[in-house]
Amino acid sequence: GICQVNTTLFNTVFFSGLPVVQRVNHSQYISHYPKGRDATVSWGGPDFKFKNDTANWVLIATGYSNSSVTISLYGTDPGYEVTYETGPWTNLTDPPVREVKDPELPVGTRIVDERGVSGRTIVVTRVVTKGGAEVRRDSFKSVYRPTQEVVRVGTKAAPVPSDPATTTP
């Protein structure tokens, strides 16, 4: 929950053009956030910080519903224009696989209980301009660890066919 709010705040600040002082991506890739534009927070751990470099105040207004979070910044418009480019995924790393033996499944059967996610790296570059002049250029690099895949592997032996009965005439 709190990371959804923080990711939304980061993206609001990102598109406002205000300077980002500190931002940490999640340790694992979460596909429902914009690629490379997530931000995590934790009490006593990672934090998100930005700077108001305008001459006036900035008000952070928030709202939510059962399905969305909205964050708006209000203040004097500094005249920033923001463009950005999301680079390609790099350093793709296969997820580790943990196999769990299951005596209820026939030998050769494999069932994925938890789908793994590849590790990966991405860079998002933001360019902030004012009146056509570049004010700042930021690169936000996100490195995501792979998530383990859990697979149940069958160990139940197939029944051994019995010899056919023999009869004597």
Side-chain angles (χ1 to χ4, degrees), residues 5 12 17 20 25 33 45 51 56 64 90 94-95 108-109 111 115 118-119 121 124 128 142 145 150 158:
V5 173
T12 304
V20 172
N25 63 277
Y33 292 146
K51 181 179 179 182
N56 300 294
Y64 67 93
T90 61
D94 290 336
T109 303
I111 297 176
R115 175 107 15 230
S118 297
T121 300
V124 177
V128 180
S142 299
R145 293 189 324 238
V150 179

Side-chain angles (χ1 to χ4, degrees), residues 14 34-37 84-90 120-126 138-142 144:
F14 180 93
K35 293 189 289 189
R37 293 202 338 258
Y84 72 98
E85 182 177 322
T86 303
W89 290 116
T90 61
R120 57 193 75 190
T121 300
I122 197 164
V123 176
V124 177
T125 302
R126 173 181 79 159
D138 306 304
S139 288
F140 299 96
K141 181 178 182 180
S142 299
Y144 302 102

Side-chain angles (χ1 to χ4, degrees), residues 5-22:
V5 173
N6 194 55
T7 292
T8 304
L9 177 59
F10 168 70
N11 279 278
T12 304
V13 170
F14 180 93
F15 287 108
S16 76
L18 294 175
V20 172
V21 176
Q22 182 180 355

Side-chain angles (χ1 to χ4, degrees), residues 45-117:
D47 204 354
F48 172 65
K49 297 177 185 178
F50 69 97
K51 181 179 179 182
N52 175 7
D53 67 346
T54 71
N56 300 294
W57 55 265
V58 172
L59 171 70
I60 303 172
T62 62
Y64 67 93
S65 71
N66 287 339
S67 61
S68 68
V69 173
T70 303
I71 298 181
S72 303
L73 299 179
Y74 294 96
T76 304
D77 184 356
Y80 295 150
E81 292 185 26
V82 175
T83 58
Y84 72 98
E85 182 177 322
T86 303
W89 290 116
T90 61
N91 302 324
L92 292 171
T93 307
D94 290 336
V97 177
R98 180 170 61 99
E99 294 183 345
V100 178
K101 294 179 180 178
D102 188 334
E104 299 299 315
L105 294 175
V107 169
T109 303
R110 297 175 61 84
I111 297 176
V112 176
D113 277 345
E114 296 175 32
R115 175 107 15 230
V117 178

